[in-house]
Amino acid sequence: MLVDSHCHLDFPDLTNRLPDVLQRMQDKQVGLAVCIGVNLEDFPKVLALAEQEPCLFATVGVHPEYTDVEEPDEDRLVALASHPKVIAMGETGLDYYWQKDQPEWQRDRFRTHIRAAKRCGKPLVVHTRDSAVDTLRVLKEEGADTVGGVMHCFTENWEIARQALDLGFYLSFSGIVTFKNATIVKEVAQKCPLGRLLVETDSPYLAPVPYRGKPNEPAYVHYVAEEIARLRGVSLEEIATATTDNFFRLFKHAARL
């Protein structure tokens, strides 16, 4: 079995054809998927999917790219994360690609999520883009190693990967690892300890080869795992077993359901 550790099934590209998406997951032996919260306004839709489908889990958080949305506070995040199907805090982190002035409000929001995660004892789903140094700094300053989490859609170099691993975080690889020119991502996917690997789609984005440029979906995590197996010279079954075991080790609340 494989697990898609990061997808957005509440987005229109996927939710409008959910029965077919779930059937293809089953056909490709993708047994579970995590629906990621990106803002509080849409969180009820994310949670509803997780409540309706035994194979789906949810997270709660406000993505750093979302500016004109309800600003989260610790108490609200902790309350929403108390639902048994909510297994993590996020998607949170820093994104300086669009916000090139590196705004302090992003760092403050990130700290709020980390503190809420520590209070409720659930791991973090971390987004970082053009901001790896600050992301790691804030994680260290806030003691995020006490709850751990995953660096989702990992695209940084091995030095950043090593620092994230030293903090106890997992690295999750998306369809980018299948792209021909993604040499840095491929290198990290080879070097990452097997016990810290996760796979994801980030659906409906970043579809892997052979579907690059088309809408992504959880079933395609199969191709991510297949490429990682090829890079490491092991079987797909070994990657599937390891990443599924890693998923339940990190997301302990999922293991209890």
Side-chain angles (χ1 to χ4, degrees):
M1 184 182 79
L2 284 161
V3 178
D4 181 359
S5 67
H6 194 112
C7 63
H8 299 281
L9 293 183
D10 62 307
F11 286 15
D13 280 356
L14 294 171
T15 195
N16 292 337
R17 50 189 180 92
L18 190 61
D20 291 339
V21 168
L22 295 176
Q23 182 60 54
R24 280 190 287 274
M25 274 179 60
Q26 183 177 330
D27 293 345
K28 281 291 188 181
Q29 295 183 305
V30 181
L32 300 169
V34 184
C35 301
I36 303 295
V38 294
N39 61 62
L40 298 183
E41 288 85 346
D42 292 328
F43 174 71
K45 292 192 294 184
V46 174
L47 184 59
L49 288 170
E51 289 178 323
Q52 291 164 14
E53 302 292 340
C55 64
L56 302 180
F57 295 103
T59 72
V60 60
V62 182
H63 191 290
E65 285 184 16
Y66 284 71
T67 56
D68 191 21
V69 293
E70 178 185 344
E71 196 62 31
D73 61 48
E74 281 183 55
D75 290 342
R76 180 123 167 86
L77 288 172
V78 170
L80 294 174
S82 67
H83 191 286
K85 272 254 165 162
V86 176
I87 61 170
M89 191 68 64
E91 177 174 359
T92 183
L94 302 175
D95 192 312
Y96 296 165
Y97 181 80
W98 297 111
Q99 306 287 339
K100 298 187 187 302
D101 56 344
Q102 303 182 16
E104 187 61 30
W105 68 262
Q106 274 200 30
R107 294 186 284 274
D108 289 341
R109 182 189 283 179
F110 189 20
R111 292 179 192 278
T112 296
H113 283 81
I114 298 169
R115 292 167 187 172
K118 290 168 68 177
R119 281 176 55 185
C120 67
K122 293 186 176 180
L124 291 151
V125 176
V126 177
H127 169 105
T128 182
R129 190 176 187 190
D130 291 356
S131 57
V133 172
D134 274 3
T135 298
L136 290 168
R137 176 177 61 82
V138 173
L139 288 170
K140 291 173 185 175
E141 289 175 354
E142 293 294 332
D145 58 316
T146 60
V147 289
V150 55
M151 308 296 285
H152 114 84
C153 192
F154 195 81
T155 56
E156 304 294 335
N157 61 30
W158 175 244
E159 177 55 28
I160 296 297
R162 186 189 59 76
Q163 292 182 55
L165 292 167
D166 287 347
L167 277 172
F169 275 67
Y170 290 65
L171 307 182
S172 182
F173 296 90
S174 70
I176 292 173
V177 78
T178 70
F179 298 174
K180 186 176 181 180
N181 62 347
T183 53
I184 291 174
V185 179
K186 291 177 187 289
E187 177 191 0
V188 176
Q190 287 176 303
K191 289 184 175 181
C192 181
L194 187 59
R196 295 286 195 85
L197 270 170
L198 293 174
V199 288
E200 65 171 86
T201 60
D202 204 11
S203 309
Y205 310 116
L206 302 176
V209 175
Y211 296 99
R212 187 174 182 181
K214 298 178 181 179
N216 201 0
E217 58 183 72
Y220 299 166
V221 79
H222 170 92
Y223 298 99
V224 177
E226 197 170 55
E227 174 64 7
I228 293 173
R230 186 192 70 80
L231 290 167
R232 297 173 71 101
V234 300
S235 68
L236 174 60
E237 289 74 20
E238 183 173 342
I239 296 300
T241 298
T243 53
T244 299
D245 288 347
N246 295 343
F247 173 82
F248 286 115
R249 190 179 307 115
L250 174 61
F251 299 107
K252 296 178 177 62
H253 290 82
R256 297 172 193 162
L257 297 177

PDB file of all heavy atoms in Angstrom, residues 42-73:
ATOM      1  N   ASP A  42     -12.080  27.432   4.257  1.00  0.00           N
ATOM      2  CA  ASP A  42     -12.365  26.200   3.520  1.00  0.00           C
ATOM      3  C   ASP A  42     -12.137  24.937   4.341  1.00  0.00           C
ATOM      4  O   ASP A  42     -12.364  23.830   3.836  1.00  0.00           O
ATOM      5  CB  ASP A  42     -11.498  26.135   2.256  1.00  0.00           C
ATOM      6  CG  ASP A  42     -11.882  27.194   1.237  1.00  0.00           C
ATOM      7  OD1 ASP A  42     -13.075  27.543   1.172  1.00  0.00           O
ATOM      8  OD2 ASP A  42     -10.988  27.680   0.519  1.00  0.00           O
ATOM      9  N   PHE A  43     -11.704  25.089   5.580  1.00  0.00           N
ATOM     10  CA  PHE A  43     -11.434  23.917   6.407  1.00  0.00           C
ATOM     11  C   PHE A  43     -12.649  23.001   6.554  1.00  0.00           C
ATOM     12  O   PHE A  43     -12.488  21.772   6.534  1.00  0.00           O
ATOM     13  CB  PHE A  43     -10.913  24.334   7.784  1.00  0.00           C
ATOM     14  CG  PHE A  43     -10.763  23.170   8.733  1.00  0.00           C
ATOM     15  CD1 PHE A  43      -9.764  22.230   8.546  1.00  0.00           C
ATOM     16  CD2 PHE A  43     -11.640  23.010   9.796  1.00  0.00           C
ATOM     17  CE1 PHE A  43      -9.631  21.146   9.404  1.00  0.00           C
ATOM     18  CE2 PHE A  43     -11.517  21.938  10.659  1.00  0.00           C
ATOM     19  CZ  PHE A  43     -10.512  20.997  10.469  1.00  0.00           C
ATOM     20  N   PRO A  44     -13.893  23.530   6.710  1.00  0.00           N
ATOM     21  CA  PRO A  44     -15.036  22.616   6.820  1.00  0.00           C
ATOM     22  C   PRO A  44     -15.156  21.649   5.649  1.00  0.00           C
ATOM     23  O   PRO A  44     -15.553  20.492   5.830  1.00  0.00           O
ATOM     24  CB  PRO A  44     -16.237  23.573   6.883  1.00  0.00           C
ATOM     25  CG  PRO A  44     -15.692  24.809   7.508  1.00  0.00           C
ATOM     26  CD  PRO A  44     -14.299  24.938   6.936  1.00  0.00           C
ATOM     27  N   LYS A  45     -14.809  22.090   4.430  1.00  0.00           N
ATOM     28  CA  LYS A  45     -14.856  21.196   3.268  1.00  0.00           C
ATOM     29  C   LYS A  45     -13.795  20.106   3.379  1.00  0.00           C
ATOM     30  O   LYS A  45     -14.039  18.943   3.028  1.00  0.00           O
ATOM     31  CB  LYS A  45     -14.649  22.002   1.986  1.00  0.00           C
ATOM     32  CG  LYS A  45     -15.773  22.960   1.647  1.00  0.00           C
ATOM     33  CD  LYS A  45     -15.641  23.514   0.235  1.00  0.00           C
ATOM     34  CE  LYS A  45     -14.419  24.382   0.070  1.00  0.00           C
ATOM     35  NZ  LYS A  45     -14.334  25.012  -1.276  1.00  0.00           N
ATOM     36  N   VAL A  46     -12.613  20.492   3.839  1.00  0.00           N
ATOM     37  CA  VAL A  46     -11.529  19.514   4.011  1.00  0.00           C
ATOM     38  C   VAL A  46     -11.929  18.464   5.049  1.00  0.00           C
ATOM     39  O   VAL A  46     -11.771  17.256   4.832  1.00  0.00           O
ATOM     40  CB  VAL A  46     -10.229  20.232   4.433  1.00  0.00           C
ATOM     41  CG1 VAL A  46      -9.137  19.227   4.753  1.00  0.00           C
ATOM     42  CG2 VAL A  46      -9.772  21.189   3.342  1.00  0.00           C
ATOM     43  N   LEU A  47     -12.461  18.933   6.164  1.00  0.00           N
ATOM     44  CA  LEU A  47     -12.860  18.016   7.229  1.00  0.00           C
ATOM     45  C   LEU A  47     -14.001  17.109   6.786  1.00  0.00           C
ATOM     46  O   LEU A  47     -14.017  15.913   7.116  1.00  0.00           O
ATOM     47  CB  LEU A  47     -13.253  18.805   8.474  1.00  0.00           C
ATOM     48  CG  LEU A  47     -13.613  17.968   9.709  1.00  0.00           C
ATOM     49  CD1 LEU A  47     -12.447  17.087  10.125  1.00  0.00           C
ATOM     50  CD2 LEU A  47     -14.044  18.873  10.858  1.00  0.00           C
ATOM     51  N   ALA A  48     -14.946  17.663   6.031  1.00  0.00           N
ATOM     52  CA  ALA A  48     -16.082  16.861   5.568  1.00  0.00           C
ATOM     53  C   ALA A  48     -15.614  15.686   4.715  1.00  0.00           C
ATOM     54  O   ALA A  48     -16.151  14.574   4.831  1.00  0.00           O
ATOM     55  CB  ALA A  48     -17.053  17.737   4.784  1.00  0.00           C
ATOM     56  N   LEU A  49     -14.627  15.924   3.864  1.00  0.00           N
ATOM     57  CA  LEU A  49     -14.095  14.833   3.053  1.00  0.00           C
ATOM     58  C   LEU A  49     -13.515  13.731   3.934  1.00  0.00           C
ATOM     59  O   LEU A  49     -13.749  12.544   3.707  1.00  0.00           O
ATOM     60  CB  LEU A  49     -13.012  15.368   2.107  1.00  0.00           C
ATOM     61  CG  LEU A  49     -13.483  16.222   0.934  1.00  0.00           C
ATOM     62  CD1 LEU A  49     -12.290  16.871   0.237  1.00  0.00           C
ATOM     63  CD2 LEU A  49     -14.270  15.377  -0.060  1.00  0.00           C
ATOM     64  N   ALA A  50     -12.753  14.127   4.948  1.00  0.00           N
ATOM     65  CA  ALA A  50     -12.134  13.150   5.844  1.00  0.00           C
ATOM     66  C   ALA A  50     -13.186  12.396   6.654  1.00  0.00           C
ATOM     67  O   ALA A  50     -13.013  11.208   6.954  1.00  0.00           O
ATOM     68  CB  ALA A  50     -11.151  13.849   6.770  1.00  0.00           C
ATOM     69  N   GLU A  51     -14.257  13.079   7.007  1.00  0.00           N
ATOM     70  CA  GLU A  51     -15.326  12.425   7.767  1.00  0.00           C
ATOM     71  C   GLU A  51     -16.108  11.445   6.897  1.00  0.00           C
ATOM     72  O   GLU A  51     -16.548  10.391   7.373  1.00  0.00           O
ATOM     73  CB  GLU A  51     -16.270  13.479   8.340  1.00  0.00           C
ATOM     74  CG  GLU A  51     -15.681  14.296   9.478  1.00  0.00           C
ATOM     75  CD  GLU A  51     -16.629  15.362   9.979  1.00  0.00           C
ATOM     76  OE1 GLU A  51     -17.360  15.957   9.153  1.00  0.00           O
ATOM     77  OE2 GLU A  51     -16.652  15.613  11.199  1.00  0.00           O
ATOM     78  N   GLN A  52     -16.258  11.770   5.629  1.00  0.00           N
ATOM     79  CA  GLN A  52     -17.079  10.947   4.732  1.00  0.00           C
ATOM     80  C   GLN A  52     -16.348   9.700   4.235  1.00  0.00           C
ATOM     81  O   GLN A  52     -16.989   8.679   3.969  1.00  0.00           O
ATOM     82  CB  GLN A  52     -17.508  11.780   3.521  1.00  0.00           C
ATOM     83  CG  GLN A  52     -18.495  12.885   3.836  1.00  0.00           C
ATOM     84  CD  GLN A  52     -18.578  13.906   2.709  1.00  0.00           C
ATOM     85  OE1 GLN A  52     -18.109  13.677   1.590  1.00  0.00           O
ATOM     86  NE2 GLN A  52     -19.162  15.057   3.001  1.00  0.00           N
ATOM     87  N   GLU A  53     -15.028   9.809   4.097  1.00  0.00           N
ATOM     88  CA  GLU A  53     -14.259   8.729   3.464  1.00  0.00           C
ATOM     89  C   GLU A  53     -13.256   8.131   4.448  1.00  0.00           C
ATOM     90  O   GLU A  53     -12.358   8.828   4.913  1.00  0.00           O
ATOM     91  CB  GLU A  53     -13.514   9.255   2.230  1.00  0.00           C
ATOM     92  CG  GLU A  53     -14.407   9.872   1.165  1.00  0.00           C
ATOM     93  CD  GLU A  53     -15.303   8.857   0.482  1.00  0.00           C
ATOM     94  OE1 GLU A  53     -14.977   7.648   0.541  1.00  0.00           O
ATOM     95  OE2 GLU A  53     -16.308   9.278  -0.116  1.00  0.00           O
ATOM     96  N   PRO A  54     -13.365   6.850   4.749  1.00  0.00           N
ATOM     97  CA  PRO A  54     -12.420   6.215   5.678  1.00  0.00           C
ATOM     98  C   PRO A  54     -10.967   6.311   5.234  1.00  0.00           C
ATOM     99  O   PRO A  54     -10.056   6.286   6.069  1.00  0.00           O
ATOM    100  CB  PRO A  54     -12.887   4.755   5.716  1.00  0.00           C
ATOM    101  CG  PRO A  54     -14.313   4.799   5.288  1.00  0.00           C
ATOM    102  CD  PRO A  54     -14.414   5.925   4.308  1.00  0.00           C
ATOM    103  N   CYS A  55     -10.717   6.455   3.927  1.00  0.00           N
ATOM    104  CA  CYS A  55      -9.350   6.468   3.414  1.00  0.00           C
ATOM    105  C   CYS A  55      -8.725   7.857   3.430  1.00  0.00           C
ATOM    106  O   CYS A  55      -7.583   8.019   2.992  1.00  0.00           O
ATOM    107  CB  CYS A  55      -9.304   5.910   1.992  1.00  0.00           C
ATOM    108  SG  CYS A  55     -10.207   6.906   0.777  1.00  0.00           S
ATOM    109  N   LEU A  56      -9.437   8.866   3.941  1.00  0.00           N
ATOM    110  CA  LEU A  56      -8.935  10.236   3.922  1.00  0.00           C
ATOM    111  C   LEU A  56      -8.747  10.787   5.328  1.00  0.00           C
ATOM    112  O   LEU A  56      -9.538  10.500   6.229  1.00  0.00           O
ATOM    113  CB  LEU A  56      -9.889  11.149   3.145  1.00  0.00           C
ATOM    114  CG  LEU A  56     -10.173  10.781   1.689  1.00  0.00           C
ATOM    115  CD1 LEU A  56     -11.134  11.783   1.075  1.00  0.00           C
ATOM    116  CD2 LEU A  56      -8.889  10.682   0.875  1.00  0.00           C
ATOM    117  N   PHE A  57      -7.694  11.583   5.485  1.00  0.00           N
ATOM    118  CA  PHE A  57      -7.444  12.338   6.715  1.00  0.00           C
ATOM    119  C   PHE A  57      -7.375  13.817   6.368  1.00  0.00           C
ATOM    120  O   PHE A  57      -7.342  14.190   5.193  1.00  0.00           O
ATOM    121  CB  PHE A  57      -6.135  11.889   7.374  1.00  0.00           C
ATOM    122  CG  PHE A  57      -6.146  10.476   7.858  1.00  0.00           C
ATOM    123  CD1 PHE A  57      -5.503   9.473   7.134  1.00  0.00           C
ATOM    124  CD2 PHE A  57      -6.791  10.134   9.035  1.00  0.00           C
ATOM    125  CE1 PHE A  57      -5.519   8.162   7.578  1.00  0.00           C
ATOM    126  CE2 PHE A  57      -6.807   8.823   9.485  1.00  0.00           C
ATOM    127  CZ  PHE A  57      -6.172   7.837   8.761  1.00  0.00           C
ATOM    128  N   ALA A  58      -7.325  14.652   7.402  1.00  0.00           N
ATOM    129  CA  ALA A  58      -7.307  16.105   7.191  1.00  0.00           C
ATOM    130  C   ALA A  58      -6.221  16.748   8.030  1.00  0.00           C
ATOM    131  O   ALA A  58      -5.728  16.170   9.007  1.00  0.00           O
ATOM    132  CB  ALA A  58      -8.667  16.708   7.546  1.00  0.00           C
ATOM    133  N   THR A  59      -5.846  17.980   7.631  1.00  0.00           N
ATOM    134  CA  THR A  59      -5.000  18.830   8.461  1.00  0.00           C
ATOM    135  C   THR A  59      -5.666  20.197   8.540  1.00  0.00           C
ATOM    136  O   THR A  59      -6.558  20.514   7.746  1.00  0.00           O
ATOM    137  CB  THR A  59      -3.583  19.008   7.870  1.00  0.00           C
ATOM    138  OG1 THR A  59      -3.656  19.859   6.709  1.00  0.00           O
ATOM    139  CG2 THR A  59      -2.963  17.670   7.489  1.00  0.00           C
ATOM    140  N   VAL A  60      -5.211  21.022   9.482  1.00  0.00           N
ATOM    141  CA  VAL A  60      -5.768  22.365   9.614  1.00  0.00           C
ATOM    142  C   VAL A  60      -4.634  23.379   9.676  1.00  0.00           C
ATOM    143  O   VAL A  60      -3.650  23.184  10.378  1.00  0.00           O
ATOM    144  CB  VAL A  60      -6.676  22.492  10.861  1.00  0.00           C
ATOM    145  CG1 VAL A  60      -5.915  22.199  12.151  1.00  0.00           C
ATOM    146  CG2 VAL A  60      -7.326  23.876  10.915  1.00  0.00           C
ATOM    147  N   GLY A  61      -4.779  24.451   8.892  1.00  0.00           N
ATOM    148  CA  GLY A  61      -3.756  25.490   8.896  1.00  0.00           C
ATOM    149  C   GLY A  61      -4.042  26.541   7.845  1.00  0.00           C
ATOM    150  O   GLY A  61      -4.990  26.423   7.065  1.00  0.00           O
ATOM    151  N   VAL A  62      -3.191  27.584   7.834  1.00  0.00           N
ATOM    152  CA  VAL A  62      -3.310  28.665   6.861  1.00  0.00           C
ATOM    153  C   VAL A  62      -1.980  28.789   6.116  1.00  0.00           C
ATOM    154  O   VAL A  62      -0.947  29.099   6.712  1.00  0.00           O
ATOM    155  CB  VAL A  62      -3.684  30.005   7.536  1.00  0.00           C
ATOM    156  CG1 VAL A  62      -3.852  31.099   6.490  1.00  0.00           C
ATOM    157  CG2 VAL A  62      -4.957  29.855   8.355  1.00  0.00           C
ATOM    158  N   HIS A  63      -2.038  28.527   4.834  1.00  0.00           N
ATOM    159  CA  HIS A  63      -0.868  28.548   3.955  1.00  0.00           C
ATOM    160  C   HIS A  63      -0.264  29.955   3.912  1.00  0.00           C
ATOM    161  O   HIS A  63      -0.997  30.950   3.896  1.00  0.00           O
ATOM    162  CB  HIS A  63      -1.334  28.121   2.562  1.00  0.00           C
ATOM    163  CG  HIS A  63      -0.259  27.824   1.594  1.00  0.00           C
ATOM    164  ND1 HIS A  63       0.552  28.802   1.059  1.00  0.00           N
ATOM    165  CD2 HIS A  63       0.133  26.655   1.024  1.00  0.00           C
ATOM    166  CE1 HIS A  63       1.398  28.242   0.207  1.00  0.00           C
ATOM    167  NE2 HIS A  63       1.168  26.938   0.171  1.00  0.00           N
ATOM    168  N   PRO A  64       1.064  30.068   3.850  1.00  0.00           N
ATOM    169  CA  PRO A  64       1.685  31.394   3.861  1.00  0.00           C
ATOM    170  C   PRO A  64       1.367  32.268   2.646  1.00  0.00           C
ATOM    171  O   PRO A  64       1.537  33.485   2.707  1.00  0.00           O
ATOM    172  CB  PRO A  64       3.190  31.089   3.925  1.00  0.00           C
ATOM    173  CG  PRO A  64       3.326  29.690   3.442  1.00  0.00           C
ATOM    174  CD  PRO A  64       2.072  28.995   3.887  1.00  0.00           C
ATOM    175  N   GLU A  65       0.921  31.668   1.551  1.00  0.00           N
ATOM    176  CA  GLU A  65       0.566  32.474   0.380  1.00  0.00           C
ATOM    177  C   GLU A  65      -0.781  33.171   0.541  1.00  0.00           C
ATOM    178  O   GLU A  65      -1.084  34.115  -0.194  1.00  0.00           O
ATOM    179  CB  GLU A  65       0.517  31.604  -0.880  1.00  0.00           C
ATOM    180  CG  GLU A  65       1.881  31.214  -1.429  1.00  0.00           C
ATOM    181  CD  GLU A  65       1.755  30.432  -2.725  1.00  0.00           C
ATOM    182  OE1 GLU A  65       0.665  30.462  -3.343  1.00  0.00           O
ATOM    183  OE2 GLU A  65       2.736  29.783  -3.123  1.00  0.00           O
ATOM    184  N   TYR A  66      -1.603  32.708   1.498  1.00  0.00           N
ATOM    185  CA  TYR A  66      -2.945  33.265   1.654  1.00  0.00           C
ATOM    186  C   TYR A  66      -2.887  34.484   2.561  1.00  0.00           C
ATOM    187  O   TYR A  66      -2.579  34.383   3.752  1.00  0.00           O
ATOM    188  CB  TYR A  66      -3.886  32.210   2.232  1.00  0.00           C
ATOM    189  CG  TYR A  66      -4.311  31.162   1.228  1.00  0.00           C
ATOM    190  CD1 TYR A  66      -3.400  30.203   0.768  1.00  0.00           C
ATOM    191  CD2 TYR A  66      -5.603  31.130   0.720  1.00  0.00           C
ATOM    192  CE1 TYR A  66      -3.774  29.247  -0.164  1.00  0.00           C
ATOM    193  CE2 TYR A  66      -5.986  30.180  -0.210  1.00  0.00           C
ATOM    194  CZ  TYR A  66      -5.075  29.244  -0.643  1.00  0.00           C
ATOM    195  OH  TYR A  66      -5.443  28.296  -1.573  1.00  0.00           O
ATOM    196  N   THR A  67      -3.194  35.640   1.979  1.00  0.00           N
ATOM    197  CA  THR A  67      -3.089  36.889   2.733  1.00  0.00           C
ATOM    198  C   THR A  67      -4.440  37.428   3.181  1.00  0.00           C
ATOM    199  O   THR A  67      -4.598  37.821   4.327  1.00  0.00           O
ATOM    200  CB  THR A  67      -2.375  37.963   1.882  1.00  0.00           C
ATOM    201  OG1 THR A  67      -3.075  38.112   0.642  1.00  0.00           O
ATOM    202  CG2 THR A  67      -0.934  37.549   1.596  1.00  0.00           C
ATOM    203  N   ASP A  68      -5.419  37.444   2.303  1.00  0.00           N
ATOM    204  CA  ASP A  68      -6.716  38.041   2.605  1.00  0.00           C
ATOM    205  C   ASP A  68      -7.682  36.986   3.145  1.00  0.00           C
ATOM    206  O   ASP A  68      -8.733  36.707   2.565  1.00  0.00           O
ATOM    207  CB  ASP A  68      -7.288  38.707   1.356  1.00  0.00           C
ATOM    208  CG  ASP A  68      -8.507  39.563   1.669  1.00  0.00           C
ATOM    209  OD1 ASP A  68      -8.668  39.958   2.836  1.00  0.00           O
ATOM    210  OD2 ASP A  68      -9.305  39.817   0.740  1.00  0.00           O
ATOM    211  N   VAL A  69      -7.298  36.377   4.269  1.00  0.00           N
ATOM    212  CA  VAL A  69      -8.100  35.317   4.882  1.00  0.00           C
ATOM    213  C   VAL A  69      -8.109  35.522   6.400  1.00  0.00           C
ATOM    214  O   VAL A  69      -7.379  36.355   6.932  1.00  0.00           O
ATOM    215  CB  VAL A  69      -7.529  33.917   4.569  1.00  0.00           C
ATOM    216  CG1 VAL A  69      -7.658  33.584   3.088  1.00  0.00           C
ATOM    217  CG2 VAL A  69      -6.073  33.803   5.023  1.00  0.00           C
ATOM    218  N   GLU A  70      -8.947  34.726   7.061  1.00  0.00           N
ATOM    219  CA  GLU A  70      -8.981  34.789   8.525  1.00  0.00           C
ATOM    220  C   GLU A  70      -7.610  34.412   9.092  1.00  0.00           C
ATOM    221  O   GLU A  70      -7.035  33.384   8.731  1.00  0.00           O
ATOM    222  CB  GLU A  70     -10.043  33.830   9.068  1.00  0.00           C
ATOM    223  CG  GLU A  70     -10.117  33.799  10.591  1.00  0.00           C
ATOM    224  CD  GLU A  70     -11.092  32.762  11.122  1.00  0.00           C
ATOM    225  OE1 GLU A  70     -11.929  32.266  10.331  1.00  0.00           O
ATOM    226  OE2 GLU A  70     -11.003  32.440  12.317  1.00  0.00           O
ATOM    227  N   GLU A  71      -7.110  35.256   9.967  1.00  0.00           N
ATOM    228  CA  GLU A  71      -5.803  34.998  10.573  1.00  0.00           C
ATOM    229  C   GLU A  71      -5.980  34.025  11.744  1.00  0.00           C
ATOM    230  O   GLU A  71      -6.823  34.247  12.613  1.00  0.00           O
ATOM    231  CB  GLU A  71      -5.173  36.305  11.050  1.00  0.00           C
ATOM    232  CG  GLU A  71      -3.690  36.202  11.346  1.00  0.00           C
ATOM    233  CD  GLU A  71      -2.859  35.838  10.126  1.00  0.00           C
ATOM    234  OE1 GLU A  71      -3.240  36.207   8.983  1.00  0.00           O
ATOM    235  OE2 GLU A  71      -1.827  35.170  10.310  1.00  0.00           O
ATOM    236  N   PRO A  72      -5.218  32.951  11.781  1.00  0.00           N
ATOM    237  CA  PRO A  72      -5.401  31.963  12.838  1.00  0.00           C
ATOM    238  C   PRO A  72      -4.784  32.422  14.162  1.00  0.00           C
ATOM    239  O   PRO A  72      -3.801  33.158  14.172  1.00  0.00           O
ATOM    240  CB  PRO A  72      -4.652  30.744  12.302  1.00  0.00           C
ATOM    241  CG  PRO A  72      -3.538  31.340  11.485  1.00  0.00           C
ATOM    242  CD  PRO A  72      -4.135  32.575  10.855  1.00  0.00           C
ATOM    243  N   ASP A  73      -5.376  31.984  15.246  1.00  0.00           N
ATOM    244  CA  ASP A  73      -4.714  32.127  16.541  1.00  0.00           C
ATOM    245  C   ASP A  73      -4.576  30.735  17.147  1.00  0.00           C
ATOM    246  O   ASP A  73      -5.206  29.772  16.691  1.00  0.00           O
ATOM    247  CB  ASP A  73      -5.454  33.087  17.477  1.00  0.00           C
ATOM    248  CG  ASP A  73      -6.869  32.631  17.816  1.00  0.00           C
ATOM    249  OD1 ASP A  73      -7.051  31.448  18.177  1.00  0.00           O
ATOM    250  OD2 ASP A  73      -7.791  33.448  17.724  1.00  0.00           O
TER     251      ASP A  73
END
